[in-house]
Amino acid sequence: MLSLARRTPRTPPAKEAAAPPARHPAGRWAGLAVLAVLLLLAAAASLAVGAEHVPLGRVWPAVLSPDGSRDALIVHGLRLPRTLLGIGVGAALGLAGAVMQALTRNPLAEPGLLGVNGGAALAVVVVIGAFRADDVLVYVWAAFAGAAGAAVLVHAIGARGRGGTSPARLVLAGAAVNAVSSALTAGLMLLSPRAFNGFRFWQVGTLAGRDAAVLARVLPFIAAGTALALLLARPLNALGLGDEAGRALGAYPGRTRALGALAVVLLCGSATAAVGPITFLGLAVPYAVRALVGPDQRWVLPYSLLLAPVVLLAADIAGRVAAPGELQTGIVTAFLGAPLFMVIVRRGRMREL
């Protein structure tokens, strides 16, 4: 009896000991409400700020009941489609980055870094130059095919050799695929003036010059990818514990990966077809969200859905006012995301999630 009384207490398993502290659901819901307010403020600023400033008091009347005035023409005719497209594309890229990071358990997974955006851009150039396509819907389907092909190629390259896939392998494979895609894209544009003229606005990613028809063409695909990504929150949580534990919890790893890949292709393909390749947004936003709410995908995904368009609209506004001529949104997001990428690597966060 004495030996039993003095027995050392059982040490909890490593996963239990390493589990992050629980966060109160009320705080998370409050965070979502704050992000929704920030998104409304970013949308209002996007409608008001530009080469021709529109007073905030005139913005919403010009949106809801345009009266033909100069302010109404600027807000309703030019900036409203751009703002709505920024919200849709930002949400798509933020969700795509979060799903990619959950599927690969890689904090560096991002559509731009892993070659997905580059493959989509290359496919768009091919259909412009070879088939003389000028329909956004054709660009969307081409971008889907290019994004899917690039994703498969990156994972095939990253899985070769000993040890299988790792965050560093996937990033290196994505850099290689991006380099090849960029070289082929540049070559095709040099060979085909039509491809150059049709693709030059997609080259760095921008919200400028897009009308409501572009948003109408890509919105169904963004909506489908968004719904699919949000429905995968619980299976992604189970998959994060490993395939065996996921199966024990009722998840199907193969099906979850296939549906997650489909969601990423829908989101990245439609976003790239609409505005061109925009990098680092899908990396920075999920990384910041996990620091706020933890690894639970039931919160990571909706937070990314709201925070990413806030960041994209802020980058677009900064591009309008930062230089005498407008600076493309993709350049601004690269300026913001590249330092964060270096910080993640220097802090040793390249281990799996």
Side-chain angles (χ1 to χ4, degrees):
M1 295 292 294
L2 183 60
S3 62
L4 291 175
R6 293 179 178 177
R7 182 174 297 171
T8 303
R10 182 178 67 87
T11 301
K15 284 188 177 180
E16 295 178 7
R23 292 171 171 81
H24 199 279
R28 288 169 164 172
W29 284 110
L32 283 178
V34 170
L35 285 180
V37 173
L38 287 177
L39 182 56
L40 287 176
L41 293 176
S46 178
L47 294 172
V49 176
E52 186 76 21
H53 179 72
V54 177
L56 284 175
R58 289 283 302 153
V59 166
W60 296 117
V63 172
L64 299 176
S65 56
D67 55 5
S69 64
R70 180 179 177 82
D71 289 344
L73 291 176
I74 293 173
V75 171
H76 200 273
L78 298 177
R79 293 182 186 165
L80 182 60
R82 180 172 182 165
T83 300
L84 293 177
L85 188 61
I87 293 173
V89 168
L93 294 176
L95 271 180
V99 172
M100 288 184 74
Q101 291 176 11
L103 286 175
T104 61
R105 301 178 65 188
N106 177 0
L108 301 181
E110 195 263 344
L113 291 178
L114 294 190
V116 176
N117 285 350
L122 174 60
V124 172
V125 172
V126 169
V127 299
I128 292 174
F131 302 103
R132 300 183 177 274
D134 56 1
D135 189 345
V136 174
L137 190 59
V138 177
Y139 297 166
V140 169
W141 288 108
F144 288 160
V152 171
L153 183 59
V154 167
H155 283 82
I157 296 173
R160 293 183 63 85
R162 296 180 180 180
T165 58
S166 68
R169 281 175 177 266
L170 288 175
V171 171
L172 291 174
V177 171
N178 253 336
V180 173
S181 299
S182 298
L184 292 174
T185 299
L188 288 172
M189 287 194 295
L190 289 174
L191 292 173
S192 172
R194 179 182 178 86
F196 175 78
N197 291 330
F199 185 76
R200 58 195 175 98
F201 292 110
W202 274 264
Q203 194 168 9
V204 293
T206 180
L207 299 177
R210 308 296 193 265
D211 56 19
V214 174
L215 177 63
R217 291 298 183 95
V218 301
L219 187 59
F221 302 102
I222 293 177
T226 299
L228 182 57
L230 294 176
L231 289 174
L232 289 174
R234 289 182 181 274
L236 288 174
N237 277 341
L239 196 64
L241 301 175
D243 287 5
E244 294 299 327
R247 291 190 186 95
L249 293 173
Y252 299 91
R255 184 173 68 182
T256 300
R257 290 192 178 95
L259 292 176
L262 176 60
V264 168
V265 168
L266 286 171
L267 294 169
C268 291
S270 54
T272 303
V275 303
I278 294 179
T279 56
F280 290 112
L281 187 67
L283 167 72
V285 169
Y287 180 82
V289 164
R290 283 195 304 274
L292 291 173
V293 302
D296 189 345
Q297 298 300 321
R298 294 174 299 176
W299 295 101
V300 170
L301 295 179
Y303 265 73
S304 299
L305 176 71
L306 291 176
L307 180 58
V310 173
V311 175
L312 186 62
L313 289 178
D316 185 47
I317 295 169
R320 300 181 204 173
V321 301
E326 185 168 322
L327 195 63
Q328 285 84 354
T329 311
I331 296 176
V332 180
T333 58
F335 274 119
L336 297 175
L340 177 61
F341 176 77
M342 292 185 285
V343 168
I344 297 172
V345 174
R346 287 183 62 85
R347 290 181 60 186
R349 297 298 300 273
M350 291 185 68
R351 64 183 182 272
E352 293 182 351
L353 293 175

